[in-house]
Amino acid sequence: GAGVSQSPSNKVTEKGKDVELRCDPISGHTALYWYRQSLGQGLEFLIYFQGNSAPDKSGLPSDRFSAERTGGSVSTLTIQRTQQEDSAVYLCASSFNSDQPQHFGDGTRLSIL
Amino acid sequence: AQSVTQLDSQVPVFEEAPVELRCNYSSSVSVYLFWYVQYPNQGLQLLLKYLSGSTLVKGINGFEAEFNKSQTSFHLRKPSVHISDTAEYFCAVKVLGDNDMRFGAGTRLTVKP
């Protein structure tokens, strides 16, 4: 079956612009996660959605970062007024529930000029 | 809060040699443990997981890991590596009931001919 799909695969933008990253999870997965992976680093948790519950936003690094999940399926991660330190690979993952292994998309490589 | 330490950032090894990638975690409560592999320009793929039961866990591609509660370790092993095993390997821990998963900084395994 289809895995987690992320788009775009690459995004280059100028400092100060807003960007929107999209994640389409595996059908039937109620849990959805966003992570940030900086060069040579592990994964940094950003935000977690579970069903219709309020999201866990505890990992968002600043108020420039926000995310939505519409209809319990597709999610968008928005970064406003991008900074160079936002350059990273943004990974999305989904799982059947929060205690099951996560399935990852291939990520969006974001480069801020 | 839990944390994950991968003791080796890089592990070079010759083809057909055995390998062990080390992972230690800190948590005072019950955890789930995972190993993921990341090939270039791809997301993370689950290798194996420990949820409960037998402490020796077998995963895909001939990898296995042993959960050692007293040493809070979950080292990954393979008796004979292939060139195709060259990748980044991430250890991860999840506390039961928590939303986020904590990842180690990764170990780059390079298999040489």
Side-chain angles (χ1 to χ4, degrees), chain B residues 48-60:
Chain B
L48 48 79
K49 62 183 184 289
Y50 172 79
L51 303 181
S52 65
S54 173
T55 57
L56 182 62
V57 180
K58 294 190 183 297
I60 63 171

Side-chain angles (χ1 to χ4, degrees), chain A residues 17-104:
Chain A
K17 300 287 189 183
D18 297 351
V19 295
E20 211 171 75
L21 313 180
R22 176 188 168 104
C23 172
D24 204 338
I26 293 173
S27 178
H29 281 192
T30 61
L32 186 147
Y33 306 78
W34 282 99
Y35 295 90
R36 179 168 68 178
Q37 185 178 26
S38 301
L39 187 63
Q41 302 295 313
L43 275 68
E44 175 189 3
F45 166 76
L46 296 178
I47 189 168
Y48 160 77
F49 295 89
Q50 172 62 55
N52 295 320
S53 303
D56 177 350
K57 304 180 182 180
S58 60
L60 294 178
S62 77
D63 59 7
R64 296 187 295 106
F65 287 72
S66 62
E68 290 185 342
R69 188 179 185 191
T70 54
S73 182
V74 171
S75 176
T76 54
L77 176 69
T78 301
I79 308 174
Q80 296 178 308
R81 305 181 302 281
T82 52
Q83 304 294 313
Q84 286 189 330
E85 60 263 29
D86 298 335
S87 295
V89 176
Y90 290 82
L91 290 166
C92 176
S94 71
S95 61
F96 184 71
N97 61 47
S98 62
D99 284 338
Q100 294 300 311
Q102 297 172 25
H103 299 260
F104 284 80

Side-chain angles (χ1 to χ4, degrees), chain B residues 77-94:
Chain B
R77 302 185 183 100
K78 186 169 181 177
S80 175
V81 294
H82 302 291
I83 299 287
S84 59
D85 292 324
T86 294
E88 190 91 18
Y89 290 80
F90 291 95
C91 180
V93 61
K94 185 181 184 306

